Amino acid sequence: MSQPSVSNQVALLEREIGARLLAREPGGLKLTAEGEVLLEHADAIAERFDLATEQLAAAAQGHRARLRIGAFPTALAAFVPDAIARVRKEYPHAKVTVDEGTNDLAARIRSGELHLAVGFQDAAEPRDTPSGVERRDLLREHFRVALAPDHPMAGRPRIRLADLRDEDWTAAVPDGLIVRACRHAGFEPNLVSLTHDQLAIRALVRRDLAVTLVPELLAEPFRDLALLHIDGPGPARDVYALLPPGGRHPLVTPALDALETTAAELHER
C-alpha cells in the first residue's frame, strides 16, 4: 500500500476507536498505549485466523484422519507411544504423526501445525497456561538421583542433593530444573555435559563420568543405573496436554483420553 493509503486507513481506525494509535516522535512513528493494546488483540485475532485456515484446509483436503502430536523428549520416550497405541487400537485406520518440541509447542498448536501437544513446567513455578490454548494437567512427576552402579553412594536408599556438590553433572540446559535444584540445595553444579540425548546421559552416568536427576517416567529405561530417592525437598514438574481452543481434530478427544489413562497408570506404579 502507498503511504497516503496507510495514513488514511490509520486515520479512519483512530476515528473508529476514538483514540490516537500512532505518535510521531524524533525517531519516527511509535505506538501509543492505545495502539499497543489494539496490536495485541490484532495479533491474537490473526493467530486464530491462521488456525481456522489450517483446520478448514485440512478438512477440505481430506487429511482429517492424520493426527499430529508434539511432545517433549521424555514424554515421547515414556508414555506418548502407549497413548498412541491405545488410539490405534480403537481407530485402526487412524494416521498419527509425532514431533519433538519444547518451548514452541503452544505456538504450534495456535498455528494449527499440531493438533495436540504434551508439555511440562517446573512445579515450583506459578501455574502457566499459554495464551490461546487450553491446558489439561496429566500428572506431577518427581525426580531421582542417577548414579553409576558402582558409585560409592549407590547403595544408599536415599540421598541429599547436597551430598553431590563435588560431583560432575550432566543436564539438558545450563539453567533448567536440574541446575535450579542444585542451587536450591546450596551449590552450583559442575556441568561437564549439556545434552537432551537420553542415551548419551545414560552412558555418561553408567560410566561414572557424571551424575544427574532422572524423571520418574524414565525409571524403567534407566533401570541399569542406581536410581536413588531424594532425601528432603526435590524438584518436580507438571506434565500437561495443550489443545486448540476450537475446531479440534476428531481424534483429539480419544487421544487425550488415552494420555490421561496412560498417565494415571504410570502414577499408580
Side-chain angles (χ1 to χ4, degrees), residues 112-169:
E113 179 185 347
L114 297 174
H115 299 123
L116 176 66
V118 180
F120 73 90
Q121 75 161 96
D122 189 334
E125 301 293 326
R127 191 178 191 276
D128 175 44
T129 300
S131 63
V133 298
E134 181 180 343
R135 168 174 164 167
R136 300 280 190 91
D137 291 329
L138 296 173
L139 60 90
R140 174 161 290 186
E141 181 185 28
H142 295 274
F143 286 71
R144 299 186 193 180
V145 171
L147 305 175
D150 57 352
H151 190 282
M153 291 183 270
R156 298 184 183 184
R158 309 181 72 85
I159 191 170
R160 297 185 310 129
L161 289 183
D163 294 339
L164 301 169
R165 65 173 63 248
D166 296 326
E167 300 287 337
D168 293 332
W169 284 76

Side-chain angles (χ1 to χ4, degrees), residues 2 14 40 61 89 104 117 136 142 151 173 183 252 260:
S2 65
E14 287 179 331
E40 289 184 10
Q61 295 172 15
K89 184 176 181 180
D104 61 340
R136 300 280 190 91
H142 295 274
H151 190 282
V173 292
R183 290 171 178 166
V252 162
E260 291 175 337

